[in-house]
Amino acid sequence: MRARWVWLIIAIGLVGFGLAGCIAARLPNVTLDPALAPPAPAPILGPFGQDAPISTRHDWETRRAPLLRQAFATEIYGPYPAHIIPPRLLSRDVISYAPLAGEAQIEQWSVAVGGADRPLHFNMIIVMPAQARGPAPVIVMQNFCGNRAAFRDPPATIAGPLTPVFPGCEGGWETPLVELVFGRHIMVPPYRQILARGYALAMFYAGDVVGDEAESARAGLAQLYGEDAPRAGALAAWAWLYSQAYDVIAADARFDAAHIAVWGHSRNAKAALLAGANDARIAAVIAHQSGRGGASLNRSDAGESIAEIMGAYPWWFPPAYARAAESAVDQDDLIALIAPRPVLLGNSRRDAWADPLGAWRAAESASPVYELYGEGGLVQPDMRRPNLRAGIGFYTRDGLHGVHSQDWDVFLEFLDAHFRAEAPQSGRQPSR
Ligand code: GCU
């Protein structure tokens, strides 16, 4: 009887792998021709409503940027929580994890956020080089599945997610399938690769505070926003959590507050872009495959539509986002709000859903703002090969939506290029 079950599970697994492989192989490649990108939005330094054209950094920072941030809060993402007090470190525990013993020091921080009367908290895992030479630069990452899923054989001391996560997040037989489709590092970051370059990683599940499904999102937003909750969205709350994480990390002398980057994949990349746009302390943004509501233009017709994203994930945005295609702002403005700080936009060729061409056009349209600062914006020969030293890097690899080791090679080279004077001059050029 037992043997029959084992065979059945193996058969289901093989069929699953086979199906995943077939689906992946049939997805068409996006044609990486900028001529096919959607029309350019209005010139970014041109008039905006009553606001006259911009010709200096000063005008951009004092006039235009505040208007754009306000427009993103009212028309796209909803606002950040108001009337809150600074985040508080509730606890800090050392975690022992044998596979990284000697290479990393690992801690688990519990961080309280929101008003004192409405306490919420998230658990953040810090993985830092065991022998750091001075304060470590930090990559702040949000994950999809909670911190336990980010370790193979996690120690019992690592807390699990505080709200429901996908069934595929729970480990077990689905994990190889999830990793086959979405890449080896979709859940487990490449710790050794990151540590070897001297970076610390600070990782948390934003769903601890505002969940990623209807009920736990509603509950979290109600607690954070009170009566403003109907105008709020989870993505803005998640973006705000990157800044809350920044506060507690920067207060610890072991970390280099001037070199804290945010990293996100897909939905978390949307949040990472908004965090970078709203918080000038964030030194760099890596937004991998952020898609609609991320780097891709709202006015683009390719990939996921606004109606589709609103239908599938109604808690991500406030109702106003349904009319985003008519808004005066588009996602090129979001990228521009990060200037002159560097941003890397990751893409893949079989990820038409995330609309790489729409992101390319947005990056191109944002570039004049980088130029105001004397920085190149998007300065690269084509959509594949990022100029990792430029203000905007645009990287496209073959394959599907997901996170692979080769992506991390590019992410880390990008950070080195901007954070470390001694970084190699030439960025890694993904192969054709
Ligand atoms: C869905 C969603 C995307 C999102 C992605 C993800 O595919 O439609 O907008 O980026 O999930 O977060 O993985």
Side-chain angles (χ1 to χ4, degrees):
M1 192 62 189
R2 188 142 170 255
R4 278 211 356 235
W5 276 109
V6 171
W7 280 113
L8 186 66
I9 289 167
I10 292 174
I12 293 174
L14 287 175
V15 171
F17 276 87
L19 273 178
C22 291
I23 293 169
R26 294 181 82 85
L27 284 175
N29 273 322
V30 174
T31 305
L32 298 178
D33 178 357
L36 301 176
I44 199 148
L45 300 177
F48 179 76
Q50 303 298 308
D51 195 38
I54 300 292
S55 53
T56 65
R57 267 152 67 168
H58 181 260
D59 286 352
W60 172 261
E61 285 171 10
T62 58
R63 264 179 32 215
R64 181 62 57 85
L67 286 177
L68 293 174
R69 290 198 177 97
Q70 185 54 39
F72 277 107
T74 51
E75 295 171 39
I76 308 292
Y77 297 105
Y80 272 12
H83 313 302
I84 44 99
I85 58 176
R88 285 88 60 206
L89 202 53
L90 299 176
S91 61
R92 200 172 73 188
D93 300 305
V94 172
I95 302 283
S96 54
Y97 180 61
L100 290 177
E103 290 168 76
Q105 244 180 287
I106 306 184
E107 292 181 3
Q108 176 170 255
W109 297 8
S110 174
V111 184
V113 294
D117 53 329
R118 308 188 200 133
L120 285 165
H121 78 278
F122 64 92
N123 293 307
M124 180 157 70
I125 293 288
I126 314 269
V127 180
M128 63 199 120
Q131 268 94 37
R133 279 179 280 132
V138 186
I139 302 169
V140 185
M141 161 189 290
Q142 294 189 0
N143 58 38
F144 277 74
C145 290
N147 298 335
R148 288 187 65 75
F151 288 89
R152 307 214 189 267
D153 300 322
T157 39
I158 295 185
L162 300 179
T163 59
V165 285
F166 304 109
C169 287
E170 272 140 28
W173 68 271
E174 306 98 327
T175 300
L177 188 59
V178 172
E179 291 183 349
L180 177 78
V181 177
F182 295 106
R184 185 171 158 72
H185 297 301
I186 188 67
M187 291 197 268
V188 180
Y191 296 110
R192 290 207 168 84
Q193 214 176 327
I194 294 168
L195 292 164
R197 306 284 273 252
Y199 292 93
L201 184 72
M203 175 177 63
F204 63 100
Y205 177 54
D208 280 356
V209 175
V210 173
D212 195 9
E213 45 82 54
E215 192 45 40
S216 55
R218 196 201 50 74
L221 291 174
Q223 265 187 280
L224 272 187
Y225 287 87
E227 60 192 26
D228 283 341
R231 286 181 296 284
L235 285 171
W238 299 341
W240 171 78
L241 287 173
Y242 275 115
S243 289
Q244 303 294 289
Y246 180 99
D247 286 342
V248 289
I249 297 165
D252 186 320
R254 292 173 298 173
F255 305 112
D256 176 358
H259 292 106
I260 297 183
V262 294
W263 181 99
H265 172 240
S266 211
R267 65 199 65 187
N268 299 322
K270 304 180 207 294
L273 285 167
L274 179 59
N278 277 338
D279 188 341
R281 303 171 305 169
I282 291 170
V285 177
I286 300 174
H288 189 48
Q289 304 173 334
S290 59
R292 188 71 55 239
S296 300
L297 293 171
N298 293 315
R299 284 186 183 75
S300 172
D301 291 334
E304 182 176 23
S305 68
I306 290 176
E308 281 166 329
I309 201 169
M310 293 287 282
Y313 306 97
W315 56 91
W316 285 2
F317 297 92
Y321 184 61
R323 296 181 301 281
E326 293 127 52
S327 166
V329 284
D330 208 330
Q331 303 303 107
D332 55 327
D333 297 304
L334 191 72
I335 298 170
L337 285 170
I338 300 170
R341 291 160 294 136
V343 53
L344 178 66
L345 306 175
N347 305 272
S348 63
R349 284 198 77 190
R350 288 208 155 94
D351 190 12
W353 187 243
D355 185 18
L357 287 157
W360 173 265
R361 185 67 85 217
E364 203 177 54
S365 302
S367 292
V369 179
Y370 279 84
E371 286 152 21
L372 271 187
Y373 287 88
E375 298 279 330
L378 189 64
V379 193
Q380 60 184 71
D382 54 42
M383 292 178 65
R384 275 183 169 276
R385 291 171 293 173
N387 176 347
L388 296 173
R389 293 195 161 279
I392 306 175
F394 193 96
Y395 154 64
T396 311
R397 64 154 161 78
D398 287 336
L400 297 168
H401 192 74
V403 188
H404 296 264
S405 298
Q406 77 181 98
D407 298 329
W408 270 98
D409 289 339
V410 179
F411 303 153
L412 293 167
E413 293 226 2
F414 163 78
L415 290 180
D416 277 358
H418 290 280
F419 283 6
R420 298 181 196 280
E422 71 276 18
Q425 288 297 310
S426 61
R428 177 176 176 277
Q429 307 286 301
S431 56
R432 273 174 184 278

